[in-house]
Amino acid sequence: MTGSSSSSTPAEWNRPPGYKTSPRRRRRWPWIALGAVVAITVVGLIAPDDTKQSNDQAAAVIGSAPVTPTESATATSAPTPSSETPAPAPSTAGQVGSGSAAQSSLTLLNTLAVKGRAPRTGYSRAQFGQAWTDDVNVAGGHNGCDTRNDVLRRDLTSIVARAGTRGCVVTSGVLADPYTGNRIDFVRGEKTSQAVQIDHVVALDDAWQKGAQQLSADTRRDLANDPRNLQATDGPTNSRKGSGDAATWLPPNRSFRCTYVARQVTVKAAYRLWVTQAEKDAIARVLGSCGAANAAPVAPAQPTRTQTRTPVPRPAPRYTPPPPAPVAPVVPDGGSVYYANCTAAKAAGAAPIQAGQPGYRPALDRDGDGTACDKS
């Protein structure tokens, strides 16, 4: 019986002594696998990842000026396209100093309408869109860099750009200010950025009163961001200009005035704005100082009818005789008594002889006082 029983369960005799098929022993392996996963995850978190270094660890430097600590706390990011090529800045406007360039500007000035100012009603900065937007259809538009930084990159030298902005956000640089002729060291910061401001060469308030309110919103936005109408300059000087036109404000630096008014003419012609008569006269005077001539356009000649007239002779001047010479008063003579001379009159005892007395003659009255022969 015993042998028969052993042959019926041969697998039990192959297990190690003391082995038990316990359910607890079968569930131990999932915990071991979980521990391995946790260990791998911890190692992954601790290990450095050289492929995730921040772009802000190093400055993107254009030029040699240092990056200041102020900028890192105050700078704002500009739009960053996928390309790593720095966005191009608008080109610098040409200087107007020669007679030919000034003459061209004067010719263009004479094409502008001359009117009075329209009412300022409805003006606000918001009428010209979001300040310094890149969403415009002018030079520098849609290049991934806001307009203010575009102009700073154009007008400043020794520029330092903020890292991670593709060379867009200017943190420092040097401005040779054309309005004052002074050097300004620009440093981006809450208390320092306003040292350099961006002037609208044709002030937006002035443009509003001279035709801009008739433009579309998109065109006004282009006007406010057009590089031809923008110039980096000294902040206090820009504030003093306000909304003045050429009749009320010109740059203190006289050598830049021709360029300044020429750019005003270019912008007003491009956006179909007009000028006042005082403004036109002021611009013409400045351009004239640079060699432009014929400040006023020549009006076209009006057609006239040809008429033939017979000349009418003028009458000869009437002769007017000269006035008669004065006549000496007639002195009555001495009647029938006659003295040949005063000696005879004295010998006769008649001297002196008064006019009207017998023997009186003018010939005897040599001094004509009415008494003859009265001298000894």
Side-chain angles (χ1 to χ4, degrees):
M1 293 291 293
T2 303
S4 174
S5 174
S6 299
S7 62
S8 63
T9 58
E12 294 293 334
W13 294 105
N14 295 328
R15 296 170 183 166
Y19 179 84
K20 297 181 180 180
T21 59
S22 169
R24 181 179 179 182
R25 180 179 299 274
R26 293 192 184 102
R27 290 194 298 269
R28 187 177 296 173
W29 68 268
W31 293 103
I32 296 174
L34 178 62
V37 172
V38 171
I40 293 172
T41 303
V42 171
V43 171
L45 293 174
I46 296 176
D49 184 355
D50 293 338
T51 65
K52 295 181 180 180
Q53 297 182 14
S54 171
N55 288 332
D56 290 334
Q57 291 178 354
V61 178
I62 307 174
S64 58
V67 179
T68 62
T70 306
E71 184 279 332
S72 62
T74 59
T76 57
S77 297
T80 306
S82 58
S83 172
E84 291 302 319
T85 302
S91 60
T92 303
Q95 299 290 318
V96 176
S98 65
S100 59
Q103 188 67 49
S104 297
S105 295
L106 184 59
T107 300
L108 186 60
L109 172 66
N110 288 331
T111 67
L112 302 182
V114 179
K115 303 180 184 179
R117 289 178 177 270
R120 191 172 179 269
T121 306
Y123 170 75
S124 70
R125 178 61 179 82
Q127 293 283 4
F128 293 83
Q130 179 183 354
W132 310 134
T133 178
D134 188 39
D135 185 19
V136 288
N137 297 313
V138 293
H142 303 288
N143 68 351
C145 191
D146 64 278
T147 303
R148 174 179 166 83
N149 279 293
D150 274 341
V151 177
L152 291 176
R153 291 187 301 130
R154 181 193 69 181
D155 294 346
L156 272 61
T157 58
S158 301
I159 294 174
V160 176
R162 186 182 183 190
T165 64
R166 298 171 53 254
C168 172
V169 179
V170 177
T171 64
S172 64
V174 177
L175 172 66
D177 180 24
Y179 284 8
T180 64
N182 298 330
R183 169 193 167 116
I184 302 175
D185 294 317
F186 170 76
V187 177
R188 184 184 180 92
E190 182 178 356
K191 297 181 179 180
T192 57
S193 289
Q194 290 304 304
V196 173
Q197 297 180 10
I198 308 301
D199 173 48
H200 286 97
V201 178
V202 174
L204 300 185
D205 194 350
D206 179 67
W208 179 260
Q209 299 175 66
K210 296 173 183 175
Q213 54 188 285
Q214 301 172 9
L215 303 177
S216 68
D218 289 345
T219 305
R220 287 198 297 268
R221 188 167 62 247
D222 288 348
L223 168 61
N225 293 275
D226 194 324
R228 294 174 295 181
N229 195 34
L230 300 173
Q231 178 62 54
T233 186
D234 170 60
T237 300
N238 185 42
S239 298
R240 283 191 291 271
K241 171 188 173 179
S243 300
D245 59 17
T248 59
W249 190 90
L250 291 170
N253 181 13
R254 291 180 177 272
S255 64
F256 189 71
R257 288 182 176 180
C258 285
T259 300
Y260 176 79
V261 298
R263 286 173 64 178
Q264 286 189 327
V265 172
T266 298
V267 170
K268 291 206 166 188
Y271 290 90
R272 303 182 303 280
L273 307 179
W274 66 74
V275 292
T276 64
Q277 187 62 58
E279 179 184 8
K280 181 176 182 178
D281 292 344
I283 293 174
R285 282 194 299 270
V286 174
L287 294 175
S289 70
C290 304
N294 189 24
V298 178
Q302 297 296 325
T304 57
R305 293 188 303 172
T306 303
Q307 295 181 351
T308 302
R309 293 184 179 181
T310 303
V312 178
R314 293 183 179 181
R318 180 178 299 178
Y319 173 76
T320 302
V327 179
V330 177
V331 179
D333 59 16
S336 59
V337 179
Y338 175 80
Y339 298 106
N341 50 42
C342 286
T343 301
K346 289 178 180 179
I353 307 171
Q354 299 294 326
Q357 292 181 346
Y360 176 85
R361 289 188 298 114
L364 300 177
D365 188 1
R366 296 184 179 181
D367 55 4
D369 62 352
T371 302
C373 301
D374 57 341
K375 305 296 182 179
S376 59

